[in-house]
Amino acid sequence: MKKNRIGYYLGAFAINLIIISMIFWFNGLVPFGNNNFLTSDLGTQYIAFLTELRRQLVHGNLHLYLFSQSLGDNFFPIISYYLLSPFNLLLVLFKAQAVPVAADVIIMLKISAMGVSMAYFLTQYFKQSRPSNYIFTIAYSFCGFTASYFYDLMWLDALIMLPIVAVGVMRVIQDNKFVLYYFSILLSIIFNYYLGYMLCIFSVCFFIYLALENNLMQQRTRFVTIRNYIVASLLGGLSAAVVLIPTFAGMLKTAKTSFDSFNYLPSARFGFEAFTQLGIGGNTFMQRLHHGPSVFMTSTVLILLLSYFFSNRVSKSDKNHSMFLIGILLASMFVTTFNTVWHMFQNPAGFPFRNSFIFSFVCIFVAHKAFSAGVFKDVHTIIKSTCTAGILICIGYATEWLVPRFIERMGYETPDNAYNYHYFWLSLICIVISGLLIIMFSKNKYIGIGILAMISFEVFANFNSVLDTAYLGNQQVYSRQYQRENNILTDVKNSSHPGHRIIVSKSGLNKAFPDQYNNYNDPVLFNINGLSLYSSTLNQDTMTMMNDLGYFSFNVRRISHFGGTDITNALFGVYFNISQLDHRYIVNEHYDAPTLGFLVSNDVYDFQMIPKRALDNQNRLWQSLNGTDTQYLKNASINTMSQKNHKKRTMYTYQLKTETTGPLYFYVSPFNYYASRIYVNGRRINTPQIEVQKAAVMDLGDFKKNESVEVKILTRKPLEINPSYFRSLDYDKYEATIDKFRANSMKITSDLNHDTVKGTISVKKNSPLLLSIPYDNGWTAYDNGKKVKIHKVISNLMAIDLDKGYHKIELKYQFPGLKLGWIISIISIAIFAIYLAFNKYLNKNSSKMFVK
């Protein structure tokens, strides 16, 4: 019996592995080809974070603060959101340049593991481990959510845990055993707290469903069962406090804490067009940010689901209970208010309906109930369900076709609702064939092989509908370019000081990516101290400060190195600018910046930013740091300004005269460089590869004092005769300050990879030590071994006061909330152990009393 059970689970794993392997092989994805998925979040975020995790695991240097996250930030929120899956331990088996291969292997193993957990649930609920269960394990493992979001591999752990959580709830209801439920909730939250939160809500819904199904309120032990469920739920969540509390502390510093009342309005999230999601190809990769709920579940499951409610073999009470559960989950996606609550009280920024996998799980579960009830024996019911399934698909596609044309006839722009009629016909054909196979199955059980083949074909086709519209990267190019760039950056790091930062303005790595790659996370990828970051955990204060200084920020999750000037490069300790040109790397060492700590004037404490005035902020900041009223950035004189309309845009021509020798900067907020063109003395200024669609400082070139400069700007934005648009840096005066700051820089003696910054500095007179490290209450500063106060300056940097003399400075970082999280977790686990022992003691005494 045990061997049969092992073979059953191995079969569930193997079938899924074969299907996903065939899908990857068909598309030439690694490890079966040379293509990799360097697209969307996997290419822009996860690969970099996985590479950093691998680096820490391989070197045994686990630390929670990274200076490669923009100016520096705690790493814990990224770890808890992206990296806590146990599957990620496999990264140690791969080289750094092969992390994209490792990601694909992890995806394959997770999808295979989903089949095992679903097979486990079906066995526990239906008390049978028959091969026909594979029909439903495949449908679950390759449901619409998986096909649409498989590259968000961190979410796949929730799909593995969902069936286990369901079994845990069953054990509580049926046997009053709650150990499995406790650990399933605990691990779900630890592996990914975001979808783990959704599983907690699901457990409540499923508990109510099973309570109704098992007439819990009529049982003598009902209060004990409810108590066990509540205690296990609370302690399961509290035991995960070691992850939740420090993560919450970190996320409070992001823009995700913003509140928008519109996200709570009881409005509809989708219409009849959502029925297209029931068929093959309902979603494509191009629609990943905006689409209906991904609820594809194969034609067989859809027909059986409908049959459950049409068949007389199912009791009315069972239908009502199932309708309650499905209705709750459907409302959670349909009504904006509920959808926001399910998504941790935030409207998803792209990738909508992230809870759709729970809806698919319940639908597949109910379909199996129909199968177990023998509804396939009722030919009339199957025919009715098959026709209904076809009608739903037709309604969905008809809505997709009619609504855009109606809007167009009303005089509005046609919505971008991309859909493929080939998938419409394929979906209908699959529904008809599946209906016939189900009818034939009632007469010949071997037809089950045909049903299994049909389901495998459908999930293969649906998965391919996503991959067909995705642009794939090149693993050989990625591996080669990664090694080249890593070697260059390693040499640069070895030749520089730990307290300096590096910019990679043009990367050879971009050649490996299939579409626009903006290198936001290259500092994390290559373990260098940079400026940029793309992450859901980006510190909002850091982003705002850099934005106010002229750096480009596309949204609250991204900050770029573009927009920097000589002043900001010096402020943040940027020493090298590396770029690839004609297959070779050029290392520019021309900033002569101080380290991340240098002595400044006391005026730094009074400095305040002014939004949308980046160049003015830089000028006043440099005055504050130097304690002078010297004008470092001087307005250029505008002799004349003319304008001329040109194809819905306006060409503004400025005749300027510079007031000093140095670089000339342009800044207007907001300004869309991507949709504009700038010419200086007839030469077009190349905008960066990043699509700069908001404010950022633009370097127009170096010019002599009193030099005449013609600037032409072709744009849709209205411009004025405003001298503050154009400012020149007085380089002689600026350079004198740089020499002073560099001479009064802290000598960094630590490698910044152990949550510690150490350095020494000699102070000639009492001065603040400015640290270009974002302010964070996790930092503690020590001066010659004595704890000193850290001040918040320049919106979000740190400074400490130093007296005259020699100083040994040490900054230690302890992630806020981590210690409290450990305490709560340990106490909660201990309480659970005591509660478990107490429960066993009561059960044992009850059994003895019953025997007597």
Side-chain angles (χ1 to χ4, degrees):
M1 187 70 178
K2 188 175 181 179
K3 288 184 178 180
N4 291 339
R5 187 64 60 85
I6 293 174
Y8 166 72
Y9 291 122
L10 286 176
F13 184 89
I15 290 175
N16 278 10
L17 185 59
I18 291 170
I19 293 174
I20 190 61
S21 297
M22 290 177 64
I23 292 171
F24 279 21
W25 170 81
F26 184 80
N27 289 277
L29 282 167
V30 290
F32 306 103
N34 187 44
N35 295 330
N36 56 21
F37 207 88
L38 293 179
T39 310
S40 189
D41 287 351
L42 183 57
T44 57
Q45 295 188 75
Y46 306 143
I47 293 299
F49 301 149
L50 289 170
T51 302
E52 172 59 28
L53 176 63
R54 176 206 167 274
R55 184 180 295 115
Q56 294 196 21
L57 291 174
V58 169
H59 295 147
N61 179 18
L62 302 177
H63 49 284
L64 298 180
Y65 195 93
L66 296 184
F67 281 92
S68 55
Q69 289 182 235
S70 186
L71 300 177
D73 205 352
N74 62 70
F75 192 44
F76 198 94
I78 287 181
I79 291 175
S80 61
Y81 187 68
Y82 295 93
L83 302 174
L84 281 183
S85 169
F87 287 86
N88 290 340
L89 294 174
L90 296 172
L91 291 167
V92 300
L93 304 177
F94 296 83
K95 295 181 179 180
Q97 62 266 27
V99 167
V101 181
D104 278 9
V105 171
I106 290 172
I107 289 169
M108 294 169 61
L109 293 177
K110 286 187 178 184
I111 291 176
S112 302
M114 285 156 53
V116 176
S117 65
M118 186 63 172
Y120 173 66
F121 167 75
L122 296 177
T123 298
Q124 295 300 306
Y125 186 90
F126 296 101
K127 310 303 181 185
Q128 291 179 324
S129 54
R130 52 195 179 191
S132 59
N133 284 353
Y134 295 153
I135 295 172
F136 303 93
T137 62
I138 295 172
Y140 174 69
S141 303
F142 294 91
C143 64
F145 181 94
T146 305
S148 297
Y149 303 142
F150 71 94
Y151 44 86
D152 286 297
L153 68 168
M154 65 188 180
W155 290 344
L156 298 182
D157 293 80
L159 279 82
I160 298 173
M161 295 305 302
L162 173 57
I164 301 175
V165 170
V167 174
V169 176
M170 284 170 46
R171 295 270 179 89
V172 175
I173 292 283
Q174 297 172 0
D175 306 319
N176 259 322
K177 296 180 178 178
F178 49 86
V179 175
L180 177 63
Y181 173 66
Y182 165 81
F183 281 106
S184 64
I185 285 294
L186 171 60
L187 293 176
S188 296
I189 296 172
I190 289 176
F191 293 159
N192 185 266
Y193 69 87
Y194 182 61
L195 294 193
Y197 161 81
M198 295 183 185
L199 295 189
C200 291
I201 299 178
F202 161 76
S203 77
V204 175
C205 300
F206 199 61
F207 179 86
I208 297 173
Y209 168 79
L210 290 178
L212 294 173
E213 186 178 62
N214 291 272
N215 294 316
L216 176 64
M217 299 311 293
Q218 307 301 321
Q219 297 178 15
R220 181 173 55 87
T221 59
R222 60 187 180 277
F223 294 115
V224 174
T225 300
I226 295 173
R227 182 194 66 197
N228 288 341
Y229 172 76
I230 294 175
V231 170
S233 298
L234 291 175
L235 292 178
L238 290 172
S239 297
V242 66
V243 170
L244 295 179
I245 290 182
T247 298
F248 179 72
M251 295 305 288
L252 282 177
K253 299 172 183 176
T254 71
K256 285 185 174 289
T257 56
S258 58
F259 176 83
D260 188 347
S261 59
F262 286 99
N263 294 334
Y264 294 87
L265 296 178
S267 56
R269 297 280 295 175
F270 52 84
F272 291 124
E273 76 285 347
F275 287 134
T276 59
Q277 304 291 325
L278 297 173
I280 297 171
N283 279 338
T284 66
F285 180 77
M286 304 304 293
Q287 298 170 311
R288 64 192 181 279
L289 298 181
H290 306 286
H291 57 75
S294 304
V295 294
F296 170 78
M297 58 190 79
T298 75
S299 300
T300 299
V301 169
L302 178 59
I303 292 170
L304 289 174
L305 174 65
L306 294 170
S307 299
Y308 182 84
F309 296 100
F310 291 156
S311 177
N312 293 326
R313 292 176 179 268
V314 181
S315 67
K316 185 176 181 180
S317 61
D318 285 344
K319 291 179 182 178
N320 290 337
H321 298 158
S322 297
M323 183 60 72
F324 160 78
L325 183 57
I326 291 175
I328 287 290
L329 297 175
L330 182 61
S332 72
M333 296 185 294
F334 180 72
V335 181
T336 300
T337 310
F338 302 145
N339 187 69
T340 301
V341 171
W342 272 78
H343 290 83
M344 292 192 78
F345 302 92
Q346 290 288 325
N347 187 40
F351 308 110
F353 309 108
R354 301 175 187 184
N355 53 338
S356 61
F357 71 98
I358 298 176
F359 179 82
S360 297
F361 167 80
V362 170
C363 289
I364 294 167
F365 160 59
V366 173
H368 196 294
K369 293 189 71 174
F371 181 82
S372 298
V375 298
F376 55 83
K377 298 177 183 178
D378 300 332
V379 175
H380 181 265
T381 299
I382 297 301
I383 292 175
K384 183 179 179 181
S385 300
T386 302
C387 292
T388 303
I391 291 171
L392 292 177
I393 296 293
C394 290
I395 291 174
Y397 275 92
T399 306
E400 284 275 19
W401 184 80
L402 289 174
V403 170
R405 279 152 182 76
F406 176 76
I407 293 174
E408 190 175 22
R409 292 289 295 271
M410 294 288 291
Y412 297 101
E413 185 179 354
T414 303
D416 183 20
N417 289 336
Y419 52 92
N420 190 327
Y421 276 120
H422 293 100
Y423 289 124
F424 166 68
W425 292 111
L426 182 59
S427 297
L428 290 183
I429 291 171
C430 288
I431 287 173
V432 172
I433 295 175
S434 297
L436 292 173
L437 289 174
I438 293 172
I439 292 173
M440 295 168 63
F441 179 77
S442 63
K443 300 177 182 178
N444 188 339
K445 301 301 181 185
Y446 289 104
I447 297 297
I449 299 174
I451 296 176
L452 192 66
M454 189 66 207
I455 279 190
S456 300
F457 168 77
E458 286 188 75
V459 299
F460 181 92
N462 188 61
F463 216 109
N464 261 359
S465 71
V466 176
L467 285 172
D468 279 347
T469 56
Y471 301 106
L472 303 178
N474 187 304
Q475 179 56 34
Q476 287 185 356
V477 175
Y478 179 88
S479 180
R480 182 172 63 251
Q481 293 297 332
Y482 179 91
Q483 287 179 292
R484 286 190 63 197
E485 197 151 314
N486 188 57
N487 291 337
I488 292 291
L489 291 171
T490 299
D491 291 341
V492 170
K493 283 194 297 182
N494 292 337
S495 65
S496 66
H497 302 291
H500 285 132
R501 293 186 169 94
I502 300 170
I503 289 176
V504 181
S505 58
K506 188 175 182 182
S507 171
L509 199 65
N510 299 39
K511 300 174 183 177
F513 286 77
D515 47 17
Q516 181 72 29
Y517 178 63
N518 295 323
N519 306 94
Y520 284 109
N521 288 325
D522 277 9
V524 177
L525 185 67
F526 293 105
N527 190 30
I528 62 174
N529 304 334
L531 296 177
S532 59
L533 182 68
Y534 176 16
S535 169
S536 298
T537 64
L538 176 60
N539 186 302
Q540 186 178 21
D541 288 342
T542 299
M543 180 204 70
T544 301
M545 175 190 66
M546 295 181 69
N547 198 226
D548 287 341
L549 288 172
Y551 287 97
F552 169 62
S553 175
F554 180 73
N555 55 31
V556 296
R557 300 183 302 280
R558 308 177 204 189
I559 188 68
S560 169
H561 65 77
F562 178 76
T565 66
D566 287 64
I567 286 178
T568 57
N569 285 329
L571 174 67
F572 297 133
V574 177
Y575 208 76
F576 293 100
N577 186 337
I578 299 172
S579 60
Q580 190 193 58
L581 182 65
D582 298 329
H583 304 288
R584 62 190 181 90
Y585 281 90
I586 299 174
V587 180
N588 297 314
E589 180 185 356
H590 62 275
Y591 294 121
D592 291 333
T595 66
L596 56 75
F598 57 94
L599 300 177
V600 298
S601 166
N602 283 306
D603 291 351
V604 69
Y605 292 126
D606 300 321
F607 176 78
Q608 298 291 329
M609 293 280 195
I610 302 175
K612 299 183 179 182
R613 292 176 61 178
L615 293 176
D616 182 51
N617 286 336
Q618 290 187 32
N619 183 61
R620 292 186 303 102
L621 171 61
W622 216 243
Q623 290 175 334
S624 296
L625 298 185
N626 286 278
T628 69
D629 57 2
T630 302
Q631 294 296 318
Y632 296 98
L633 284 167
K634 298 181 178 180
N635 293 347
S637 299
I638 299 179
N639 295 328
T640 62
M641 190 273 276
S642 61
Q643 60 186 73
K644 181 180 180 181
N645 294 332
H646 181 78
K647 295 181 180 179
K648 297 183 179 180
R649 291 188 289 182
T650 303
M651 175 69 82
Y652 296 91
T653 301
Y654 293 88
Q655 300 294 340
L656 308 177
K657 184 178 181 180
T658 58
E659 296 294 327
T660 186
T661 298
L664 176 65
Y665 299 113
F666 168 74
Y667 179 83
V668 177
S669 179
F671 190 85
N672 189 333
Y673 289 108
Y674 181 69
S676 306
R677 293 185 181 184
I678 300 178
Y679 301 87
V680 177
N681 293 336
R683 180 178 62 87
R684 183 177 177 183
I685 301 297
N686 292 324
T687 54
Q689 63 178 15
I690 300 174
E691 297 178 1
V692 180
Q693 300 175 18
K694 297 182 180 180
V697 173
M698 173 67 79
D699 188 342
L700 300 182
D702 292 333
F703 299 94
K704 301 287 186 180
K705 183 177 180 180
N706 295 325
E707 185 173 351
S708 295
V709 182
E710 181 187 70
V711 179
K712 291 186 175 181
I713 303 174
L714 182 63
T715 182
R716 289 187 175 90
K717 178 179 175 60
L719 297 178
E720 304 171 352
I721 304 178
N722 190 336
S724 65
Y725 288 172
F726 307 95
R727 294 200 179 193
S728 294
L729 176 64
D730 191 329
Y731 204 79
D732 290 337
K733 294 179 180 178
Y734 161 77
E735 195 169 26
T737 65
I738 287 297
D739 292 339
K740 179 184 66 174
F741 289 146
R742 192 168 57 249
N744 290 281
S745 289
M746 181 172 67
K747 183 180 179 181
I748 308 297
T749 58
S750 59
D751 62 5
L752 307 184
N753 276 340
H754 295 85
D755 301 335
T756 302
V757 178
K758 295 181 180 180
T760 60
I761 188 170
S762 294
V763 181
K764 296 179 180 179
K765 65 176 183 177
N766 297 356
S767 303
L769 176 68
L770 174 65
L771 298 160
S772 60
I773 302 173
Y775 182 86
D776 190 318
N777 54 10
W779 284 111
T780 304
Y782 298 89
D783 177 12
N784 292 328
K786 182 181 178 181
K787 185 177 178 181
V788 294
K789 182 180 179 180
I790 297 177
H791 302 273
K792 186 175 184 179
V793 297
I794 315 177
S795 296
N796 199 45
L797 296 182
M798 300 193 298
I800 59 176
D801 291 321
L802 297 182
D803 297 330
K804 181 180 178 181
Y806 180 79
H807 298 266
K808 286 185 177 180
I809 306 299
E810 184 175 10
L811 301 174
K812 293 183 178 179
Y813 188 80
Q814 184 175 22
F815 192 79
L818 187 59
K819 184 181 293 185
L820 177 61
W822 272 117
I823 293 173
I824 295 176
S825 289
I826 292 172
I827 292 175
S828 299
I829 293 171
I831 293 175
F832 177 77
I834 294 171
Y835 182 77
L836 181 62
F838 177 70
N839 234 33
K840 287 186 176 181
Y841 173 78
L842 290 180
N843 291 338
K844 186 176 180 181
N845 285 348
S846 298
S847 299
K848 287 181 179 180
M849 291 177 62
F850 182 76
V851 171
K852 290 180 180 181

